[in-house]
């Protein structure tokens, strides 16, 4: 019989029934039944004392471990058998833990008990988010500059940064006249960004640091670091004039070349022979050259007659030729001079897409004043009259049927003008025309614009649906959101 209530029971060391034993002894005494968890709304992380912030999904192992650590000292006197979450509303700011513990009580009897610990989720801004909100609290800045009129390389660079998620550690991104400034809370993040830039675009960098404060007792120095990254001032569709030494080292290319692409190297093509070459950043800074024209100086020509050149004899020591282009000889006339008989003869690398009557954009070298140290020393017979750059299409029609879009970096902008919008449209058209650049960029489908049939196609290049990604819109509450995925 139980020594307290007299109920018949199986024999046990305490000689008490379970009800009387629980009434006499509470093994959860000293274990707190309530607690507090700190949560940052901005970055959705929980504070793990003393100073670590970690990402935890609701009802995940990581969050369970974080809650148990808060009562770890109190659980040292009992044996933890089981722990789990009791479901609460995600927006309730409450976390409930159901714990099962065991402890040896009177005369060696082992008592097991289940109880609930409730945690209140309190909002607290973490240091990283505090610095982001302050905006001026930075320890390193990366200044990216390119001394060109056109920003095509910057638009390409922006998409690479978004794809590789390198903008996540920035405190602030500021757009200025000829570049971008990236602010960071640590020098390591800034150095990582500089390494990325040097591996993706031809550039050179310099670094400096300024002493802000110095603690003589603990010998701690506080520096602000500045990294200056200069991108080569050459963009896609630029006509350049190489130095004789550089042209010879690239397989006796013509000095007048067209830049067809800028990736980690500058891709050049000789419109007379289809010879191609790649110039990296180190080679460029040893033998610098400039663009002969600005994109605003492009003129519209009409193809009067064109004939493909199937066999072109290679010169001595000539390098590789492009397989994606076709060499052609063309007679062209400016659309502004249609009432005259003035025609120009030129060789072009666009023979695969041009036909008589097509409109094409190019540069007029015959009637321009070239101010370039290498071009002025060239034999005038070796300078072509016209260099054709790209086929011209109806821009407004291309914009209307463009059923895709790109993401942009969130940045502080200076006053934007219509020229920036025109340059951005040029970049989008380049993406449609160049598949090689497209592979490095995330392109998202624009559901607002319906897919047109190809019956009214005017031949302008387009991006296929297979190359587009679906743009995900995830709207969640700060603590996970209703219907958010719970990791177990």
């Amino acid at each position: 019989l139980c020594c307290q209530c007299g109920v018949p029971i199986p024999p046990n060391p305490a000689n008490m029934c379970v009800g009387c034993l629980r009434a006499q002894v509470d093994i959860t005494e000293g274990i707190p039944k309530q607690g507090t968890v700190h949560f940052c709304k901005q970055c959705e992380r929980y504070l793990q004392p003393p100073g670590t912030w970690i990402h935890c999904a609701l009802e995940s192992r990581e969050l369970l471990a974080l809650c148990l650590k808060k009562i770890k000292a109190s659980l040292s006197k009992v044996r933890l058998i089981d722990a789990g979450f009791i479901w609460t509303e995600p927006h309730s700011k409450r976390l409930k833990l159901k714990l099962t513990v065991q402890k040896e009580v009177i005369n060696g009897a082992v008592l097991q008990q289940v109880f609930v610990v409730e945690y209140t989720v309190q909002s607290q801004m973490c240091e990283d988010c505090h610095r982001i909100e302050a905006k001026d609290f930075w320890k390193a800045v990366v200044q990216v500059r390119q001394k060109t009129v056109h920003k095509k390389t910057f638009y390409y660079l922006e998409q690479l940064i978004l794809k590789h998620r390198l903008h996540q550690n920035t405190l602030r991104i500021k757009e200025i006249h000829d570049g971008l400034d990236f602010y960071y809370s640590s020098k390591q993040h800034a150095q990582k960004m500089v390494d990325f830039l040097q591996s993706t675009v031809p550039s050179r960098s310099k670094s400096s640091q300024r002493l802000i404060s110095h603690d003589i007792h603990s010998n701690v120095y506080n520096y602000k670091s500045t990294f200056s990254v200069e991108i080569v001032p050459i963009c896609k569709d630029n006509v350049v004039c190489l130095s004789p030494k550089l042209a010879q080292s690239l397989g006796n290319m013509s000095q007048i070349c067209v830049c067809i692409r800028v990736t980690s190297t500058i891709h050049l093509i000789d419109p007379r022979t289809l010879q191609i070459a790649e110039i990296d950043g180190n080679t460029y800074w040893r033998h610098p050259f400039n663009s002969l024209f600005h994109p605003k100086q492009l003129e519209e020509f009409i193809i009067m007659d064109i004939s493909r050149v199937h066999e072109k004899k290679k010169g001595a020591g000539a390098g590789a030729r492009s397989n994606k282009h076709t060499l052609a000889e063309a007679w062209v006339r400016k659309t502004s001079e249609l009432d005259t008989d003035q025609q120009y003869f030129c060789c072009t690398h666009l023979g695969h897409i041009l036909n008589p009557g097509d409109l094409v954009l190019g540069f007029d070298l015959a009637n321009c004043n070239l101010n370039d140290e290498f071009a002025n020393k060239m034999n005038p017979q070796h300078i072509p009259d016209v260099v054709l750059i790209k086929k011209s299409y109806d821009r407004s029609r291309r914009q209307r049927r463009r059923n895709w879009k790109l993401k942009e970096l969130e940045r502080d902008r200076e006053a934007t003008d219509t020229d920036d919008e025109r340059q951005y449209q040029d970049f989008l058209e380049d993406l449609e025309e160049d598949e090689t650049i497209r592979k490095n960029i995330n392109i998202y489908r624009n559901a607002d614009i319906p897919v047109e049939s190809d019956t009214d196609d005017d031949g302008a290049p387009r991006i296929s649906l297979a190359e587009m990604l679906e743009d995900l819109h995830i709207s969640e509450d700060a603590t996970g959101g209703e219907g958010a995925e719970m990791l177990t």
Side-chain angles (χ1 to χ4, degrees), residues 154-169:
F154 270 112
Y155 291 132
Y156 173 65
L157 194 59
E158 177 185 15
Q159 297 305 317
L160 288 178
I161 291 171
L162 284 167
K163 181 173 183 176
H164 296 280
R165 307 175 71 85
L166 278 161
H167 62 291
Q168 288 186 320
N169 296 320

Side-chain angles (χ1 to χ4, degrees), residues 350 352-355 358-359 390-395 397-398 401 429 432-434 438 452-463:
L350 303 174
H352 56 297
I353 57 173
L354 295 181
N355 294 298
D358 285 347
L359 295 177
K390 59 182 178 180
K391 190 175 178 179
S392 178
Y393 300 98
D394 185 358
R395 169 167 281 189
R397 188 175 181 181
R398 289 180 76 170
R401 70 180 190 185
E429 290 174 8
E432 290 176 337
E433 294 166 11
D434 196 338
R438 275 205 307 270
E452 288 187 3
S453 62
D454 293 336
T455 55
D456 58 344
D457 194 7
D458 60 351
R462 302 176 68 173
I463 297 179

Side-chain angles (χ1 to χ4, degrees), residues 315-333:
R321 288 186 180 179
S322 173
N323 296 322
K324 296 183 179 179
H325 299 85
T326 303
L327 188 62
E329 294 176 344
W331 285 94
V332 297
R333 182 182 290 182

Side-chain angles (χ1 to χ4, degrees), residues 105-119:
V105 289
I106 305 167
N107 298 329
V110 177
L111 184 62
Q112 180 171 309
Q113 198 166 336
V114 178
F115 65 103
V116 175
V117 181
E118 182 177 312
Y119 290 93

Side-chain angles (χ1 to χ4, degrees), residues 214-262:
H214 173 214
D215 187 350
I216 58 174
H217 300 292
S218 58
N219 204 29
V220 173
Y221 293 84
N222 183 17
Y223 287 104
K224 276 195 173 181
S225 303
T226 302
F227 295 88
S228 176
V229 180
E230 184 181 357
I231 303 174
V232 296
I234 305 295
C235 291
K236 185 180 184 295
D237 296 337
N238 282 166
V239 176
V240 299
C241 184
L242 309 179
S243 66
K245 187 176 180 181
L246 179 59
Q248 186 179 9
S249 67
L250 296 174
N252 290 327
M253 284 183 77
S254 171
Q255 286 182 246
I256 302 290
C257 294
V258 179
C259 176
I260 54 173
R261 195 179 303 117
V262 177

